[in-house]
Amino acid sequence: ARAMLSASSRIAALALAIAAALPGACAYTFFDVNSVAAELSVADTIRDIKDLLEPGGTPALDFAQATADALSAYQGSHVETLARQVNVGEPTYDLYRAYFGDDTWLDTTLVSCFEGTVAPWNAGAVITLGRIECIEKTSMDAVPLVGIQHHLDLIKLDFSNVSAARVNADKAYALYRGPAGGTGDSNSPFHRANLRGRNFLEPGTTDIYLTDDNSNSDTSTARTNLAIESAFDQLAVALVDLGGADESGATAAIDTIVAQLEIVYLQASIRYAYQVDQQVAASDTTGEAFLKRQAEGQAFFNVIAPRVNSVSTTAAETFAAIYNVPNAPTQVTSYCNARRLARFSLPEGTTELNLGDLENTMADDGRQITPPEEAVVCTEYVVTTSVVPFARVALEANDVTSALGETGVADLVQITNAQAAYDASTSLKAFADSPPAGGDASVFSNRYGNPAPYGVFIADCFAGTAPWIQTPGRKECIEKTVRDAIPMYRIFFLVEDAATNGDADLARRALDQAYALWRGGNEARAVLARAERRSQDYYTDGVLQEGTDQSLVTIIDAAFVDFAAAISGGAAGLAAAKDQLFGNLQAVYYQASLRYGWIMDDLLDTGASAQEFFDPQGEGLAFWRVVEPFIAAVTTTPGGNTVSSAVADDVTERLDPTELPTLKDTYCLTEAALEGRLNPSVARATVGVLNYVFEDRNPTVGTCAAFVPRTAVGRELLVVGQAKALAAEVDDTQVGIEDARAIYETPESHNSFLTVAANTDVQSLAQASYTTEAYQRALTYFINTDGVGSGFYDTFALQAFESTGPFADPRDASLQPIPVESVLAARQEMAKKMVEDATAVQTIFHLLDSFLAASDLVSALEFLERARALFSGATTAFGSPSTVWDRANKRARNFVTGVGSSTYLTDDGTTSSTSVALVNGRIEDSFATLQDTVLTAISLPPTPSPATVSEVNAIKDRIELIYQQATLRYAWLLDEDAAAGVANNYHDHHSEGWAFWRVIAPLVNARSASAAADIEAFYAYTGARPTQDKAFCFVKERLEANRPGTPSASEYGRLEPVPCNYCGDETCPGPTPTTPGSGAGAAGSGGGGGGGG
């Protein structure tokens, strides 16, 4: 069927010679040898050009005349015809024209090299050696290769025309093989492939060349040629008319031919990069030897540059820089970069076994660069298989993001164009739409109810459905989903596969594919770029991570190398290698999430407009979603107990673009969500310190409590936030009180990402009933004292809000009505303290009792951490009121260590706004001890240990201390009010003191009913001024006699403005004042710089 039909004697002889030149192979047989005369002439023309330029193998003496004669030989030849072809619509032509930006780029290149009148061919030694290499390699390699692909493209474009397909197959083969024997044989791609096969070795060997006989002898045939010849033969079989062309067989054969030819020029590009390194190592980059090698490498790379660029623009740019005639690289890194990126660009269907490793580079040090001291070991990860579909994800992501525009807000047209680019992608969309077969997607299903959530997310981004209503947020969502979330989603499965596959070859293939997603065909649009960007934002040990060994870029690259070694070494280290790699990849997005948490807080702190939140909120959520499923997944304590990570809900809520944040705690919530949930292989120090925090750009943002919750504390933090909002609204006006009441009675709203229990507002806590000891004790007390049952603190708050109960019609001692403004002052203080303090403390005590009564470790930890969240809030950079923690700080700035002392009960002994109460530190220590006890426990003991009970009591006792100090302080303020003798100057202090007393009244009552009754009688608000003489002493005596057991007497301190021996129980260093305001150090109602409250 494949017999020659007719031929001239010369063409027939050439065809037979070709067959004879391939020992042991079934050589391609022309369908019609008459059709290939022009193609076979190409090698003869090239031979003539070479002889003119380098007669006897050396440059012609009259080089100007030689190049003119060579140009004449080129003009009118089939080489020129091929170089000047315009074949719009053919895939290869369109690809090359787009890359070079020229319809006839081959002709342009050759003419510029012949004439030597344009840069770089018009300067110095390049005029001779560089131009020779440009002319010879472009004519002998680039022109035939493009011609081969032109004819093969024509076959693919019209399989129905079988006769034309056969002609095109003949022409492609003639260009590839050239005329067999003689000088023509040495001027074809076939010859170039043999040369490279004799330069390259099987990976991991030092003497097995990629040839038919494993040697580098002059008669050895490259394995690439064997593969190409076999593919041409398969193509011919496929094109035999047995009912029509075999399209699938022909397509497979053509793809093999093109891929194997690309391998030849990847090898050439690697080889000359090595030679460039030799010259750089020898500091010889200006002479003819360097310029010859660089120009030769450039010409070889240009043969395949557009194909490489279609897989990796980064690879194409790197090779172009290595061969940027006459500019020399400054580092001895060209070979290592070329080796890594050539493998990265391996055409589909090929592996490292096709490409091999360059000879003389396989010694122990990995290099043979001269001089030896300049040798550099190639330590970079290199792929072993083709990764084209995975490398192209970054290219397709670039198409999407380019459609959106580099700067500014994307408009609807740009978003529509971006969606079109996404829909047209071959890898990106497919990877987002479904997990790989057999992949365990439960971590995503558990969080989002969908095993492939990122396809849904980006569809929402494009459509502008909730939460992506705002255009700035939509742009960020699209960009970060295609550049970050989708690649990381697929990496997760690939890394898992690499660790568990069991087949070393398949495991390494999966790891190669993960590496391709990490590095990307466009590194500026890959996960790598995100890591590089974040390394500019984070410090480790006081040094910016960028460019250091602490950069996650460096760490992740090394983790790929270690993982590959683990695959080679067997199953033992695979799990650890997987954690090390994927954990550090996740750390990139831990960094991003923290950064945008800080930005959100900073915007809130500086009063930014709603529009200013859209972009960072959308960007923050997109980054957060990369790691959210893993943060939200169930984790395990060191003791082996599972603990819910639902604290991730809090971060998700803050980043919801449909709701502006109201609390300045996104950074610290993110920190809390990450800490303890980092991949086990990643230390918190690896993530580093955000530059905004390290450089203290906003001192009120980014300083977080030592408290790191492992459970959901969002409800408690929302309550703290609501209390803060209420305190900001309420004032001594009716409007202010009504606004505060609206906040009090309105449940916090939540976004669609969360499943939150109903009634998470602060009022529900004030209304709640419990069976715990702390609650029942308080219930009994308030029933007996005020006739108020369950929900007592809610009742007291509503009395203040509604002007009922003691605030309905208060009268002074003469039974005259109290001025409205005075009653409003009293009402606002009771309302604020019932919300901010009483409800919080009562709930903390209930949760601590529940902690002691818990039946399992998970519940115990949840109760403990909820109590702690109510105590401290989300951050220690409080600066704003409405938490028990901040109340303690205020009181500590009112109390000193003793008579005559100016040292306050704060960490720095001052009343600075940043000072922290000593009691807060002690309470935090107890919380931390209890938390560690639970996290390290193997099981919950039948009953709490004495040590655990002691720590719980210490927390309760020291919280009581805070309110004993407050109760005592307001007795003193009432003494000052009485001494001032101003009408109605006492109402706010009277009500505020009563509110503080109500926080601890049930506790004091449990120790002494009579003492509690006395203080209650003094503080109960009726409207009349309290008549108790020296109320401070009266209250002090009863509180001191009924203090809780844990704090020492020194922990209570001494109220700073009270004169020495005011109550007759102190020894003074000087005269003894006896009235409020009469002694040194006495102060007004602000007291000690601590302010009111």
Side-chain angles (χ1 to χ4, degrees), residues 484-630:
D484 302 272
I486 295 173
M488 281 290 290
Y489 171 67
R490 197 67 172 197
I491 286 172
F492 164 74
F493 294 107
L494 292 168
V495 170
E496 189 70 27
D497 185 22
T500 60
N501 187 283
D503 182 304
D505 291 337
L506 295 178
R508 183 59 192 273
R509 183 180 69 177
L511 188 63
D512 287 349
Q513 293 166 350
Y515 181 78
L517 289 169
W518 151 244
R519 280 266 166 181
N522 181 338
E523 290 186 353
R525 291 293 184 267
V527 177
L528 166 75
R530 191 68 62 206
E532 289 178 333
R533 180 65 185 85
R534 292 291 79 85
S535 73
Q536 300 167 15
D537 299 326
Y538 279 80
Y539 286 83
T540 297
D541 296 331
V543 177
L544 202 63
Q545 293 177 354
E546 183 181 21
T548 71
D549 289 343
Q550 304 302 321
S551 165
L552 282 169
V553 175
T554 304
I555 293 169
I556 292 167
D557 275 338
F560 270 105
V561 174
D562 293 343
F563 203 151
I567 290 173
S568 299
L574 288 176
K578 178 196 75 172
D579 284 345
Q580 180 68 19
L581 174 57
F582 195 67
N584 282 293
L585 284 165
Q586 287 177 305
V588 173
Y589 296 94
Y590 300 155
Q591 289 180 329
S593 298
L594 283 168
R595 181 173 185 267
Y596 282 88
W598 190 97
I599 290 171
M600 295 277 289
D601 289 348
D602 183 59
L603 288 172
L604 193 61
D605 184 66
T606 55
S609 66
Q611 287 74 21
E612 291 176 277
F613 279 93
F614 295 151
D615 189 293
Q617 198 169 22
E619 194 163 1
L621 180 58
F623 282 136
W624 172 244
R625 280 175 165 176
V626 177
V627 290
E628 181 188 2
F630 304 95

Side-chain angles (χ1 to χ4, degrees), residues 18 38 67 123 146 181 205 208 236 364 388 496 615 940 977 984 994 1010:
I18 290 172
T67 53
V146 173
T205 72
I208 301 177
D364 289 343
V388 171
E496 189 70 27
D615 189 293
L940 197 67
D977 293 339
N984 293 306
W994 190 23
S1010 60

Side-chain angles (χ1 to χ4, degrees), residues 335-351:
Y335 166 72
C336 288
N337 284 333
R339 177 175 180 262
R340 176 175 66 84
L341 292 168
R343 290 211 188 186
F344 196 90
S345 306
L346 281 170
E348 291 187 87
T350 65
T351 72

